[in-house]
Amino acid sequence: MTEFRGKPAYRQLAESLRGRIENGEIPNGASLPSAAALMNEFGVSSTVVKNGISVLRAEGLVVGHQGKGVFAQYPPVTAPPSWAPPVVDAAHALADLVQEIAEGRPVEPARASNAVAAWRSASEQLPESLRGGSVDGR
C-alpha cells in the first residue's frame, strides 16, 4: 500500500476492507483482522489503520466492541439521525388521532393538543432542508 494511487493510504485500506466485507470474504458478524495484522498486510502505521476503520464505521459497515475487536456489518447498519425517533413517534400519535376521528370515535382534546405539541417540537429539530413549511401555517 506504500505506492501512490492518488488516494490517502487510509482510504485505500478502507476500500480494500469494504470490498472484502461486501463480497463476503469477511462475512457479516465476523471480526476484521487485528490492527497489527492490517499494519503488516498493508505496510502502514496504526494511525492509517484506525482512520481506515473509522471510515468503515461511519459507513455502518463495521462495529467495534471494546476489548473484543471490530466486526463486519453487512448489509451496513447505520443509526438514525437524532431527530428521527421523535418525529416518528409524533407522527404515529397524530396518525392514531386521525384514525380515531375517521372512525367517529371521540378524541380527548388534551390528548390531541399534546400530540400536536409533540409534532411541533419534533419538527423544530428537523434539519432546515427538511422543514419545508410549518404545521400551523405560520
Side-chain angles (χ1 to χ4, degrees):
M1 166 115 18
T2 55
E3 64 191 62
F4 177 73
R5 294 193 206 160
K7 292 183 183 175
Y10 75 94
R11 290 255 178 224
Q12 293 178 47
L13 182 137
E15 286 176 4
S16 177
L17 292 175
R18 183 184 306 108
R20 292 181 196 177
I21 292 168
E22 289 175 346
N23 74 20
E25 185 181 331
I26 302 173
N28 184 41
S31 64
L32 270 61
S34 69
L38 291 171
M39 289 167 56
N40 187 46
E41 177 183 346
F42 291 95
V44 296
S45 69
S46 62
T47 302
V48 169
V49 170
K50 288 176 189 174
N51 289 343
I53 298 296
S54 291
V55 168
L56 298 177
R57 185 175 284 119
E59 294 173 358
L61 284 168
V62 300
V63 61
H65 295 287
Q66 187 69 31
K68 295 185 179 185
V70 179
F71 300 86
Q73 292 188 130
Y74 194 77
V77 177
T78 56
S82 61
W83 54 263
V87 169
V88 171
D89 292 343
H92 282 297
L94 287 174
D96 290 345
L97 287 170
V98 169
Q99 183 66 38
E100 289 174 27
I101 292 167
E103 293 171 357
R105 293 188 278 159
V107 173
E108 194 177 309
R111 188 167 148 248
S113 292
N114 289 340
V116 170
W119 175 256
R120 285 187 178 132
S121 175
S123 66
E124 289 173 0
Q125 303 306 312
L126 288 172
E128 192 64 38
S129 62
L130 297 178
R131 289 194 188 178
S134 66
V135 173
D136 57 6
R138 284 188 226 168

